[in-house]
Amino acid sequence: MSDVVVVTSKEEIARVLRSALADRAEVHCETRNGRAVPLEIRSLSGMSLVLSLKRGAEGVAPLLSSVFQNDLATDVEIEVVISLVDGQYAIRERISDVSLTAFTLSAGPSILKLQRRSDFRVNVRAEGYVALLTLTDKTIGEKPQELTLLDLSAGGMRVLWPTAKLGMTPRVKQSWSAELIRSPPSSRGTADEKTAKVMIECVRDHGPENPDRPQDGHAVSFRFLDLGQDEARTILFVCLAVHRARYALR
C-alpha cells in the first residue's frame, strides 16, 4: 500500500534536494515508451537541479538524444523520481533549460512523496550487512560470493556488484538463491548472527556506484521473490532498528 503526500514546504523540498545530491540518490524518469532511465544529479542551485543520463564506466555522460530522441526540450513537462531512505519523491515540472548532455529542472511549489509502507527502504551500507550469492562461473567456481548491501527493504535490496572480480553484471530477470546476513561483522559465527535464505531477481543495473571510482563496482537492484511472511517481518524489523538508531544519533 502506498500513500501520496503533497509536500509544499520550501524547507522540506530543499532538504530532499540536498539529500539527493549528498547521498548520490537513485534518480530516474520514464521515456514515452515506459522505459525507466537512470539519471544523476550533476549540480544543485537553490531549487534547480541539473540532471544528466547516468555516466558509464568511462565517466562521460551520454547524449540525451541517445535515449530520449527529440522528446526533451525547453518547456516540456517531465517527471523525475528521487529515491531516498524515507521514501520516493516525484518532481513534475517543465524543463527550464536543456543542452546535449544535461537538462535543468526546478522543483516547483510542490513535490509528491510516495511512502512505500510495506517496504520501508533503509540505507544499510554503513551497518556492515552483506548478501551471500552462490554463482556458477568457470572462473570463480560455485562458491558463495559476499556482496555489500547498499540498501534493504522488504521488497528487495541494492548491492555493490564487484565487476572487477565477478565481471559482467547480472541480466534483468536473472535470479539466484541468496543468504542475507543481517548482523554486523562483530557477531559473525556467533549465536547472535541472523541469516535468511531468499530468492532474488535482478531488476536494474544502476551503473558505477561511484562514478569517480568505477572499478569499485556497480550498484545493482534485486527484488525478493515469494518472500515468506516471517522473513519479510524480520527484514522490516531490521530496517526499523537501523532507522531508529540513526535517527537517535542526530
Side-chain angles (χ1 to χ4, degrees):
M1 180 176 179
S2 298
D3 291 337
V4 176
V5 177
V6 179
V7 179
T8 58
S9 166
K10 290 184 178 180
E11 291 77 12
E12 177 64 6
I13 295 174
R15 181 197 69 81
V16 169
L17 300 182
R18 290 195 302 269
S19 296
L21 178 64
D23 297 341
R24 297 200 305 273
E26 177 185 329
V27 184
H28 74 273
C29 68
E30 290 188 357
T31 60
R32 290 185 178 180
N33 61 11
R35 176 187 172 192
V37 178
L39 304 172
E40 67 177 69
I41 301 172
R42 303 301 297 272
S43 64
L44 172 64
S45 178
M47 296 289 188
S48 294
L49 289 167
V50 176
L51 300 128
S52 70
L53 294 174
K54 195 170 183 66
R55 288 174 287 181
E58 70 282 357
V60 178
L63 296 177
L64 295 176
S65 59
S66 65
V67 173
F68 296 102
Q69 285 76 49
N70 298 318
D71 293 342
L72 292 189
T74 301
D75 208 36
V76 168
E77 188 173 70
I78 191 173
E79 177 175 292
V80 171
V81 177
I82 298 172
S83 298
L84 298 179
V85 295
D86 60 321
Q88 292 183 315
Y89 295 83
I91 302 174
R92 295 175 182 170
E93 288 296 334
R94 295 185 181 276
I95 295 173
S96 57
D97 189 30
V98 63
S99 67
L100 292 177
T101 59
F103 65 93
T104 303
L105 193 68
S106 297
S110 66
I111 60 176
L112 301 177
K113 179 181 180 182
L114 175 63
Q115 175 63 58
R116 302 181 65 185
R117 294 183 182 275
S118 61
D119 285 1
F120 200 80
R121 179 182 177 190
V122 174
N123 186 326
V124 297
R125 180 169 189 168
E127 312 304 321
Y129 300 134
V130 300
L132 296 179
L133 274 64
T134 300
L135 310 177
T136 302
D137 185 275
K138 293 180 180 179
T139 58
I140 62 176
E142 294 187 13
K143 59 181 180 180
Q145 300 295 321
E146 187 172 292
L147 307 180
T148 299
L149 265 68
L150 302 178
D151 57 51
L152 177 67
S153 75
M157 63 184 183
R158 183 167 52 164
V159 305
L160 182 62
W161 188 275
T163 50
K165 178 181 179 182
L166 301 182
M168 296 293 291
T169 54
R171 301 185 307 273
V172 172
K173 294 189 176 180
Q174 190 172 6
S175 61
W176 285 289
S177 62
E179 185 176 22
L180 302 184
I181 297 180
R182 302 187 307 275
S183 55
S186 59
S187 61
R188 299 277 175 87
T190 70
D192 294 328
E193 183 180 59
K194 297 180 180 180
T195 65
K197 292 185 178 180
V198 296
M199 286 296 298
I200 59 173
E201 181 181 81
C202 180
V203 176
R204 187 184 306 169
D205 174 6
H206 301 279
E209 199 271 331
N210 184 349
D212 296 327
R213 291 183 55 83
Q215 67 273 18
D216 289 347
H218 284 213
V220 179
S221 289
F222 293 89
R223 71 183 183 96
F224 296 136
L225 299 176
D226 302 320
L227 190 66
Q229 187 175 19
D230 290 342
E231 289 83 357
R233 184 183 299 112
T234 302
I235 292 174
L236 280 172
F237 285 160
V238 169
C239 293
L240 283 168
V242 172
H243 179 77
R244 288 169 179 161
R246 191 170 297 155
Y247 181 80
L249 293 175
R250 292 178 181 174

